[in-house]
């Protein structure tokens, strides 16, 4: 089975959304997981914006990187500069991809204003995941 890992700093927003989209976009030949350098808990606004597109993250857990899984991956995608810089080394056969996405958890303002940022990042991730799935299958 092929494996793909989506990694960001806290495994709370971007990597969780990427995992949700990838589980729909990738074939059953792929094991899809996400993790963080740290575990910050799944962001409630990420859960809300994903529910808007029919993906349930409410039962997801924030996880830290599993080095055994990481080293056995076919593809590792980092979704922020911190994760790219701090991600443990991988074997040369692991394809590494970096998507420098804004951290929606850093958005300020009212919940409505923050939701706008979460939706923008969610839509970017959806497009990137779908393009990646099409290129790898």
């Amino acid at each position: 089975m092929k494996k793909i890992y989506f990694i960001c700093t806290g495994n709370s927003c971007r990597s969780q959304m990427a995992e949700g989209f990838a589980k729909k976009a990738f074939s059953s030949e792929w094991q899809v997981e996400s993790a963080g350098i740290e575990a910050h808990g799944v962001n409630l606004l990420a859960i809300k914006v994903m529910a808007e597109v029919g993906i349930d993250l409410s039962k997801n857990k924030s996880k830290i990187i599993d080095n055994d899984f990481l080293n056995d991956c076919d593809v590792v995608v980092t979704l922020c500069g911190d994760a790219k810089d701090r991600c443990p080394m991988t074997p040369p056969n692991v394809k590494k991809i970096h998507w420098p996405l804004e951290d929606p958890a850093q958005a300020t303002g009212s919940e409505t204003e923050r939701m706008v940022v979460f939706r923008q990042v969610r839509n970017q991730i959806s497009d990137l995941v779908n393009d990646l799935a099409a290129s790898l299958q």
Side-chain angles (χ1 to χ4, degrees):
M1 177 170 278
K2 298 176 189 174
K3 296 179 180 180
I4 186 166
Y5 219 179
F6 293 96
I7 299 174
C8 66
T9 303
N11 192 221
S12 66
C13 301
R14 294 164 287 187
S15 56
Q16 291 283 346
M17 290 190 271
E19 177 184 347
F21 283 121
K23 284 185 173 176
K24 286 192 166 209
F26 280 75
S27 73
S28 60
E29 296 175 7
W30 286 85
Q31 182 177 352
V32 176
E33 298 291 337
S34 70
I37 304 297
E38 304 156 4
H40 293 172
V42 182
N43 187 292
L44 294 177
L45 297 183
I47 293 169
K48 277 186 175 183
V49 298
M50 292 300 283
E52 292 174 352
V53 295
I55 297 174
D56 182 9
L57 299 183
S58 67
K59 293 178 179 60
N60 284 27
K61 302 285 185 222
S62 183
K63 304 168 293 292
I64 59 169
I65 295 170
D66 176 325
N67 284 321
D68 291 334
F69 186 84
L70 177 74
N71 288 321
D72 198 34
C73 277
D74 296 277
V75 180
V76 172
V77 180
T78 52
L79 293 100
C80 67
D82 187 45
K84 180 182 179 201
D85 294 343
R86 295 174 56 199
C87 184
M89 293 296 293
T90 57
N93 60 305
V94 176
K95 179 180 174 103
K96 290 181 236 165
I97 300 169
H98 179 62
W99 297 337
L101 297 165
E102 176 182 1
D103 183 359
Q106 299 300 315
T108 58
S110 68
E111 182 173 318
T112 301
E113 292 167 326
R114 290 182 295 144
M115 287 289 283
V116 168
V117 176
F118 270 84
R119 287 183 189 108
Q120 289 169 341
V121 173
R122 174 201 64 200
N123 295 344
Q124 288 177 311
I125 292 170
S126 175
D127 290 344
L128 289 164
V129 167
N130 288 329
D131 289 349
L132 181 60
S135 74
L136 293 175
Q137 300 191 74

